[in-house]
Amino acid sequence: MKRHTRKLVTGLMTAALTLTAGITGSSAATAADPVLTASPAGDWTALLNRSGTSNGWQGADGIYSTPLDEARTFGGATSADRTFFIFSDTILGSSDAAGNVSGLAYQNHSSAVLRGNTPSPGNMAFKYGYRADMSTGQWDNLFGYTAWMQGGLTVGGTVYTFGIPFDSDWKPQQVDLISVPVADGEPDYTRFTRTSAVSQLHRRTTDFLYDYGIGTLNNSRQAGAPNPDGYIYLYGYRDALTGDRANTKDLIVSRVARSEFPNLGNIRYWNGNGWSATLTDSAPLIGDVSTEASVTPVTSGPYAGKYIAVYTRNVQSPDMMYAIGDSPVGPFSAPVRFYSAPEYEGAGNGQRYTYNAKAHPALSDSGELLVSYNVNRMGGASNANDYRPRFLSLDLGAGTTTANVALNKPASASSTDDPASRTARMAFDGNPATRWSSAYSDPQWIEVDLGGTFTVSGARLNWETAYGRGYRVQVSGDRTHWTTVHTTTAGDGGTDTLSFPGVNARYVRLYGTQRGTGWGYSLWDFEVQGRPA
């Protein structure tokens, strides 16, 4: 169950991260400043964790969401609202607590509706099988054919998604428009219609493949857009088929008046200077994007009034990226990596990989953007924990709120009692089941490199049984001169949540002076609360 990605050629996952790769005309863009940070949204991730459930939906990728009430498109979902989710490749069956799936069946797409605006599993109703008949049969697809689903949007009383049948190289063969009427607040799958091979959304030439529908922006008054212009923007990618950039993808955009949608007869394509009636005039906005993405208006923080593009670098990588645009067509800043996915293992057979980040604006709280990315395993997933989306909260405040700025950052320690499974980085990987553990002596230390200067104002230490009775939390700008911001000789284990006046630092360490047990020092998690300086 591979997504429509570039082929796994040598060097795919080792390409350097180039922050000046944004394509905004003839000159390279500068990176957005200040930098936004993200932290895991565990409650939303748990919403799609189906481990331990029977006879049903166990996992999927390709996740898009749109409210069934068009007016709630941008951060407006309430407890009375319903949100439509569309998924691509889906696994069905029963799973144990570890996520191992039995009675495994595959379908190419499925759906769900969430009642309310909070991630309550009891309010999530999954739909699968042809016309949502809940069949768990192999390839009994919701819309009756083999296709992945792209972006979703609601216009009036109809919810739309874009289907793409794919070829043996995982590339789209065409783009179809699927319409599902909404009746009494629910999609009526029994009355869906499909317009096949929409010529305005797909084209293949010798050098490029153009695929539209990977993201949508309903920039209309009816959708509650903050700066409405009456257009629906359909984002896509231009996939290079030849040359040095073969299989790399650039973000492109088209638009059509909302009053005309879903009629695409007057759709126009951004050519870098204006709007063209010719699809192949589509000009790249951002380089090295993924095959699913989003562009969303920003309504708070330093980028209020602008637009934020969210995607995964080069389709399959741990790098979750954003770029800031002046309008729905840019120009966009050079991309910024805001999160490195800890689930990513590599591109080898059997390894987990991550891909296709995008935003969910209707479900985002004030001051944040809810973002998802997909997790899969090379060669196919048969475990519900391997194959389901993860969610992040991208803080749009950039200085007004703090986040765990140590997550997945480089770490080191004075020692470890198990170099195979309890190293320093495991205290910063966001996984509460992994830990760092030191040698059984005093003193010991563990430190993290934040990768830049942050204003640090707190820390959270989640101790294993082997805790520190006496320790200091220290910060440094050069890793040589350390300043103590917290000290204690009366630690009692458990979780220590610390706060202190904000101080600028790049490095943060815990320096243990007295163990609380006969073992060493051991931390499940070491979080550092901060914001860009």
Side-chain angles (χ1 to χ4, degrees), residues 7 11 23 46 50 131 157 163 201 230 233 245 277 303 334 367 379 384 402 408 434 488:
K7 292 180 182 178
I23 299 175
R50 302 283 291 167
R131 297 186 183 273
L201 301 177
Y233 291 81
R245 298 191 71 241
Y303 299 119
T402 61
N408 294 316
T434 61
T488 185

Side-chain angles (χ1 to χ4, degrees), residues 44-379:
W44 285 100
T45 295
L47 177 68
L48 299 180
N49 184 354
R50 302 283 291 167
S51 297
T53 62
S54 301
N55 300 320
W57 193 97
Q58 294 296 329
D61 67 355
I63 176 175
Y64 289 90
S65 68
T66 182
L68 293 174
D69 179 353
E70 181 183 5
R72 304 294 188 182
T73 299
F74 299 104
T78 71
S79 59
D81 287 316
R82 301 183 183 191
T83 301
F84 171 83
F85 287 81
I86 191 71
F87 306 99
S88 290
D89 282 342
T90 300
I91 56 176
L92 304 170
S94 301
S95 65
D96 60 22
N100 300 303
V101 179
S102 58
L104 183 67
Y106 297 104
Q107 294 181 6
N108 292 119
H109 48 267
S110 62
S111 182
V113 170
L114 175 68
R115 301 190 308 276
N117 58 351
T118 58
S120 172
N123 289 337
M124 189 75 157
F126 294 92
K127 300 293 182 181
Y128 43 83
Y130 182 53
R131 297 186 183 273
D133 65 4
M134 306 306 286
S135 165
T136 58
Q138 187 89 336
W139 314 123
D140 285 350
N141 294 311
L142 184 67
F143 298 124
Y145 76 131
T146 300
W148 294 320
M149 296 298 114
Q150 298 192 123
L153 76 160
T154 301
V155 180
T158 303
V159 62
Y160 299 90
T161 187
F162 301 91
I164 50 168
F166 46 90
D167 63 20
S168 59
D169 286 330
W170 313 104
K171 293 185 182 295
Q173 295 176 306
Q174 63 191 49
V175 177
D176 305 331
L177 179 62
I178 296 170
S179 309
V180 184
V182 178
D184 298 324
E186 292 283 343
D188 186 352
Y189 299 99
T190 66
R191 294 193 294 132
F192 85 83
T193 59
R194 182 174 79 241
T195 304
S196 296
V198 180
S199 61
Q200 296 93 338
L201 301 177
H202 180 82
R203 190 72 49 81
R204 184 167 185 150
T205 68
T206 300
D207 295 324
F208 296 105
L209 183 150
Y210 300 83
D211 175 56
Y212 273 105
I214 72 167
T216 66
L217 168 56
N218 186 344
N219 204 42
S220 68
R221 172 184 53 81
Q222 293 88 339
N227 297 296
D229 60 12
Y231 286 96
I232 290 174
Y233 291 81
L234 301 178
Y235 291 88
Y237 62 83
R238 188 187 71 175
D239 188 0
L241 302 177
T242 61
D244 293 341
R245 298 191 71 241
N247 292 306
T248 60
K249 297 163 180 65
D250 302 324
L251 189 70
I252 54 178
V253 64
S254 61
R255 75 178 188 183
V256 63
R258 179 196 177 278
S259 60
E260 298 181 13
F261 189 86
N263 184 340
L264 300 179
N266 289 320
I267 194 171
R268 295 294 182 265
Y269 310 91
W270 181 250
N271 66 11
N273 296 302
W275 295 98
S276 169
T278 303
L279 187 153
T280 52
D281 286 345
S282 300
L285 307 177
I286 304 170
D288 298 325
V289 300
S290 45
T291 55
E292 297 173 6
S294 63
V295 176
T296 308
V298 182
T299 58
S300 63
Y303 299 119
K306 295 184 181 294
Y307 295 79
I308 184 168
V310 174
Y311 61 95
T312 301
R313 183 181 63 86
N314 287 337
V315 187
Q316 293 177 356
S317 80
D319 302 324
M320 308 304 152
M321 313 293 292
Y322 73 79
I324 302 297
D326 291 335
S327 75
V329 303
F332 285 92
S333 70
V336 175
R337 180 174 59 183
F338 67 91
Y339 188 78
S340 181
E343 297 86 4
Y344 178 80
E345 295 173 349
N349 188 47
Q351 291 184 304
R352 287 201 304 184
Y353 62 98
T354 52
Y355 56 108
N356 286 348
K358 67 187 75 67
H360 302 265
L363 297 171
S364 301
D365 290 333
S366 177
E368 70 149 18
L369 191 62
L370 186 67
V371 172
S372 68
Y373 62 91
N374 296 324
V375 179
N376 203 339
R377 192 172 288 279
M378 288 289 178

Side-chain angles (χ1 to χ4, degrees), residues 386-511:
D386 289 341
Y387 193 56
R388 57 182 170 84
R390 273 44 168 192
F391 285 84
L392 305 170
S393 173
L394 178 59
D395 176 19
L396 299 175
T400 59
T401 59
T402 61
N404 177 17
V405 295
L407 185 66
N408 294 316
K409 298 296 178 63
S412 58
S414 54
S415 66
T416 175
D417 69 347
D418 186 343
S421 62
R422 291 196 283 271
T423 58
R425 71 174 183 84
M426 294 180 178
F428 301 97
D429 64 3
N431 184 346
T434 61
R435 62 186 173 101
W436 163 71
S437 187
S438 78
Y440 301 173
S441 62
D442 293 313
Q444 301 289 340
W445 54 264
I446 180 173
E447 69 180 40
V448 60
D449 178 358
L450 303 180
T453 301
F454 289 80
T455 301
V456 176
S457 57
R460 178 179 173 272
L461 307 172
N462 182 13
W463 295 100
E464 195 254 353
T465 303
Y467 67 94
R469 183 176 301 280
Y471 63 85
R472 299 190 289 266
V473 175
Q474 300 176 311
V475 300
S476 174
D478 58 10
R479 208 181 181 189
T480 299
H481 303 91
W482 294 91
T483 299
T484 298
V485 293
H486 176 84
T487 186
T488 185
T489 58
D492 58 0
T495 299
D496 294 338
T497 301
L498 315 175
S499 60
F500 40 82
V503 57
N504 288 352
R506 173 169 176 167
Y507 304 92
V508 180
R509 78 176 179 184
L510 177 135
Y511 190 89

